[in-house]
C-alpha cells in the first residue's frame, strides 16, 4: 500500500512540475480572441438595456442571434456594450 502511495505522490509531483512549466511559458495574452466576447473595460448589458438602445422589445432582443451576445451560464445572457456600439455604427 505504501509503495502505491509513493508512486501516486511521485506522479502528482511530476504533473505539477510539468503544468507549472507549461503555464510559465504561456504568453500573457492569447494571439486570437473571439470577436464576440467581452474585453477589458467593456460593460455587459442586460436584455432591457439593449432593447432600449436598439428600439426593440425585450422579447425581440432575446430571439435575435445578435453577434455581440455573451452567454455567461446555463440561462444567463448579457451583451457586450462595445459590440452593440460597433453593430449599431456598422448597420447605419
Amino acid at each position: 500500500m505504501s509503495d502505491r502511495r509513493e508512486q501516486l505522490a511521485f506522479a502528482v509531483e511530476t504533473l505539477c512540475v510539468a503544468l507549472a512549466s507549461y503555464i510559465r511559458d504561456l504568453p500573457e495574452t492569447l494571439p486570437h480572441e473571439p470577436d464576440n466576447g467581452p474585453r477589458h473595460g467593456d460593460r455587459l448589458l442586460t436584455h432591457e438595456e439593449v432593447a432600449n438602445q436598439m428600439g426593440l422589445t425585450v422579447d425581440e432582443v432575446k430571439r435575435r442571434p445578435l453577434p455581440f451576445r455573451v452567454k455567461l451560464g446555463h440561462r444567463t445572457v448579457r451583451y457586450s456594450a462595445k459590440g452593440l456600439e460597433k453593430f449599431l455604427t456598422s448597420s447605419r
Side-chain angles (χ1 to χ4, degrees):
M1 184 75 165
S2 167
D3 188 42
R4 179 74 175 141
R5 285 186 184 199
E6 288 175 12
Q7 289 175 342
L8 287 173
F10 179 74
V12 168
E13 183 180 346
T14 303
L15 284 172
C16 288
V17 169
L19 182 59
S21 174
Y22 176 76
I23 290 172
R24 184 189 67 237
D25 294 338
L26 284 175
E28 297 244 351
T29 58
L30 296 177
H32 174 71
E33 296 178 10
D35 289 336
N36 64 344
R39 303 276 192 276
H40 292 288
D42 194 4
R43 187 167 163 268
L44 294 178
L45 306 173
T46 64
H47 300 294
E48 292 81 11
E49 291 171 309
V50 173
N52 287 337
Q53 291 189 35
M54 293 184 74
L56 302 171
T57 67
V58 171
D59 286 337
E60 289 173 321
V61 169
K62 288 180 179 180
R63 279 186 260 133
R64 291 183 183 218
L66 297 169
F68 49 91
R69 181 177 186 261
V70 180
K71 188 162 175 74
L72 298 176
H74 175 65
R75 294 172 51 185
T76 307
V77 174
R78 294 293 182 268
Y79 301 88
S80 163
K82 288 182 180 179
L84 173 61
E85 183 180 326
K86 185 177 175 182
F87 179 79
L88 291 176
T89 56
S90 69
S91 64
R92 287 181 183 173

